[in-house]
Amino acid sequence: MIRPRVLLIAEAANPEWASVPLVGWSHARALAGVADVHLVTQIRNREAILRAGLVEGHDFTAIDSEAVAKRLYNLSVKLRGGESTGWTTGTALSSLSYYYFEHVLWQTFGKRIRAKEFDVVHRLTPLSPTAPSIIAAKCRGAGVPFMLGPLNGGVPWPKEFQTARRKEREWLSYLRSAYRLLPGYASTRRNAAAIIMASMDTRAQLPERYQAKCVYIPENAIDPDRFTVQVERPIERPLRVAFVGRLVPYKGADMLLEAAAPLVRTGRVVVDILGDGPEMESLRSFVNREDLASGIRLDGWVEHSKLQYRLCESDVFAFPSIREFGGGVVLEAMALGLVPIVADYAGPRELVSQTTGYRVPLGPRDVLIQRFRDVLSRLADDPSEIREMGQRARARVFSKFTWNAKARQVLEVYRWVMGERPDKPDFGMPFPDEAIAD
């Protein structure tokens, strides 16, 4: 099989950062294993990519769009009141700066695309479905398939958590559907040869007329080389529970502490909160007020290279986030053999099966807290299934959620849009026959 020549657009791709930039980088490097990839990214990622060993001009090109991107980023921080809240506002403004990024990109690569130096043009990031592409129509006009994705985002705020929505300064989320009026929204979808959808919630937002172009491939994955240890020690009481994430309202660390509090008091559970953010002081106040310091650790961020060792001190990974798009941290915990307990909503519920963890149905805040408490109490009383379930979770991640596995799936999408296979690839939907564990 001849390797396809791919112009891979990943405006966010950085091996030294987390979240979307790390997703973009990891995915891009895996795709370089199955295709001849030239990565196009934003100038802010240049130095980190050079440090990673790639050759500028040969392996990648860095587009300098700072004339617009920097101004809009600074405006975004002011409107959001900082970098930790108002993510819908931040996404909206970054989508505007992306127009200019692609404008410069086409100036740089348009002639080469028209000359058919590439078999596919693939926009990997932004992941947000709100960011149109002004080059989709140009690629189609040049006779080169354009595809985008994985697209993920736009998960509605659960109606039971409007207080968290306001604390997150998500004012613009009330008008979020207006992104469909942005210039290029319809054109992007009309001219794309394929659209990779990273979650079923995001796919459901896409009009029916574009569904035939969609291929479902979850957003996140892991690099097996980064997970060199796993939980293997015998189960001991108390049950050890970990949480990893930014300490912001929608991540739900406060709900986890409230759920665990009576179990901590009786010595049945200890909790390790790994992360930092604007909610830290509130969490510390709760721990002090409820006299829980002996069973709850709030140590802030842990260096990523050391995170796996810290997580392996726990047995269970509890993550009551109420609006999580990807949930990569859930996969990382599963890769270490921890049993995940997640809110049954958005990204995480598509990662955790009935036999590899617990999906806790949403409800009002007090109901969700009680449901998490019930699961923790059950496991604290009878931890006998934890190690076996954790091993199933680990096996699931290493078989289905590695970057190399994902790259092989995307390769099949390339082959489809290039006409090398007649049928659209179908990698299945998440757990269509499984009941939700409650």
Side-chain angles (χ1 to χ4, degrees):
M1 183 190 307
I2 298 176
R3 288 163 61 96
R5 302 166 299 168
V6 180
L7 186 67
L8 189 64
I9 304 168
E11 190 265 354
N14 194 306
E16 298 175 4
W17 294 351
S19 192
V20 174
L22 184 58
V23 169
W25 169 258
S26 301
H27 204 157
R29 296 315 298 149
L31 287 171
V34 299
D36 292 335
V37 165
H38 186 88
L39 174 65
V40 186
T41 191
Q42 212 270 350
I43 192 72
R44 62 180 173 271
N45 305 308
R46 177 178 179 272
E47 296 303 321
I49 291 175
L50 288 172
R51 285 192 290 271
L54 270 63
V55 178
E56 190 168 15
H58 181 270
D59 300 316
F60 79 100
T61 297
I63 298 292
D64 188 352
S65 59
E66 286 294 274
V68 173
K70 189 171 183 178
R71 289 184 174 89
L72 285 176
Y73 176 78
N74 290 337
L75 176 61
S76 168
V77 172
K78 290 180 181 178
L79 292 176
R80 294 160 59 191
E83 297 181 335
S84 297
T85 55
W87 288 96
T88 302
T89 300
T91 300
L93 289 175
S94 66
S95 294
L96 295 179
S97 70
Y98 186 73
Y99 284 111
Y100 183 65
F101 175 85
E102 279 204 355
H103 169 73
V104 179
L105 185 153
W106 186 259
Q107 288 182 326
T108 307
F109 286 96
K111 289 183 180 180
R112 296 178 63 182
I113 293 172
R114 286 193 292 265
K116 293 185 170 56
E117 291 187 26
F118 305 100
D119 301 308
V120 178
V121 176
H122 177 190
R123 193 193 88 179
L124 186 63
T125 69
L127 302 179
S128 172
T130 65
S133 172
I134 62 173
I135 70 169
K138 295 177 179 180
C139 289
R140 184 177 181 181
V144 177
F146 174 88
M147 53 183 278
L148 69 160
L151 296 185
N152 202 3
V155 176
W157 277 91
K159 63 181 183 299
E160 301 92 344
F161 290 91
Q162 295 307 302
T163 298
R165 186 180 193 174
R166 290 189 291 271
K167 289 179 68 176
E168 292 279 1
R169 298 174 183 264
E170 283 291 332
W171 320 121
L172 196 59
S173 66
Y174 293 96
L175 302 174
R176 190 181 184 283
S177 60
Y179 75 85
R180 299 183 182 185
L181 302 176
L182 287 172
Y185 169 82
S187 173
T188 300
R189 286 143 182 80
R190 186 171 60 250
N191 290 293
I195 306 173
I196 297 176
M197 306 302 293
S199 78
M200 297 308 296
D201 286 289
T202 304
R203 181 170 185 170
Q205 300 167 30
L206 198 67
E208 180 61 34
R209 60 186 177 276
Y210 303 127
Q211 291 290 333
K213 300 180 178 185
C214 291
V215 179
Y216 172 76
I217 302 176
E219 170 191 332
N220 288 102
I222 61 120
D223 177 359
D225 292 338
R226 289 182 50 237
F227 295 86
T228 57
V229 297
Q230 60 177 302
V231 181
E232 294 180 307
R233 53 179 172 71
I235 288 285
E236 298 176 350
R237 289 184 170 88
L239 180 73
R240 307 190 69 87
V241 180
F243 167 98
V244 177
R246 289 184 302 114
L247 302 184
V248 292
Y250 80 87
K251 294 283 186 179
D254 60 322
M255 292 190 289
L256 173 58
L257 293 191
E258 288 193 39
L263 308 177
V264 171
R265 289 192 191 96
T266 55
R268 298 164 65 199
V269 165
V270 296
V271 180
D272 196 1
I273 301 292
L274 304 173
D276 206 346
E279 294 290 290
M280 175 62 89
E281 288 308 311
S282 176
L283 298 183
R284 284 182 174 146
S285 295
F286 176 82
V287 170
N288 292 332
R289 185 173 64 250
E290 300 295 325
D291 194 23
L292 300 171
S294 62
I296 295 177
R297 297 170 69 181
L298 292 167
D299 292 343
W301 286 115
V302 174
E303 186 179 331
H304 206 265
S305 61
K306 300 177 181 177
L307 181 60
Q308 63 172 340
Y309 302 102
R310 183 69 172 266
L311 281 174
C312 281
E313 296 176 9
S314 295
D315 308 303
V316 169
F317 183 76
F319 195 61
S321 179
I322 57 165
R323 192 173 179 260
E324 198 72 25
F325 300 148
V329 68
V330 178
L331 289 181
E332 293 189 356
M334 293 169 67
L336 298 170
L338 274 69
V339 172
I341 308 171
V342 302
D344 181 50
Y345 193 62
R349 73 171 170 191
E350 298 178 11
L351 307 177
V352 179
S353 71
Q354 186 179 11
T355 60
T356 60
Y358 297 86
R359 301 197 299 269
V360 180
L362 277 183
R365 189 177 188 280
D366 58 339
V367 172
L368 186 59
I369 288 171
Q370 183 61 53
R371 288 172 175 169
F372 265 82
R373 183 179 297 150
D374 290 344
V375 176
L376 293 174
S377 180
R378 187 189 320 166
L379 293 176
D381 288 343
D382 181 10
S384 60
E385 68 177 2
I386 288 178
R387 286 291 174 265
E388 183 178 348
M389 181 175 279
Q391 285 303 305
R392 289 197 298 267
R394 178 176 165 85
R396 173 173 170 75
V397 171
F398 276 78
S399 65
K400 296 180 180 294
F401 292 98
T402 67
W403 289 115
N404 287 338
K406 194 177 301 295
R408 291 191 295 270
Q409 292 175 325
V410 175
L411 176 62
E412 292 306 306
V413 184
Y414 290 162
R415 292 184 60 226
W416 177 52
V417 300
M418 291 166 56
E420 292 185 357
R421 57 174 291 168
D423 56 321
K424 181 177 73 172
D426 182 358
F427 306 111
M429 299 300 173
F431 335 122
D433 300 319
E434 290 191 4
I436 295 173
D438 55 31

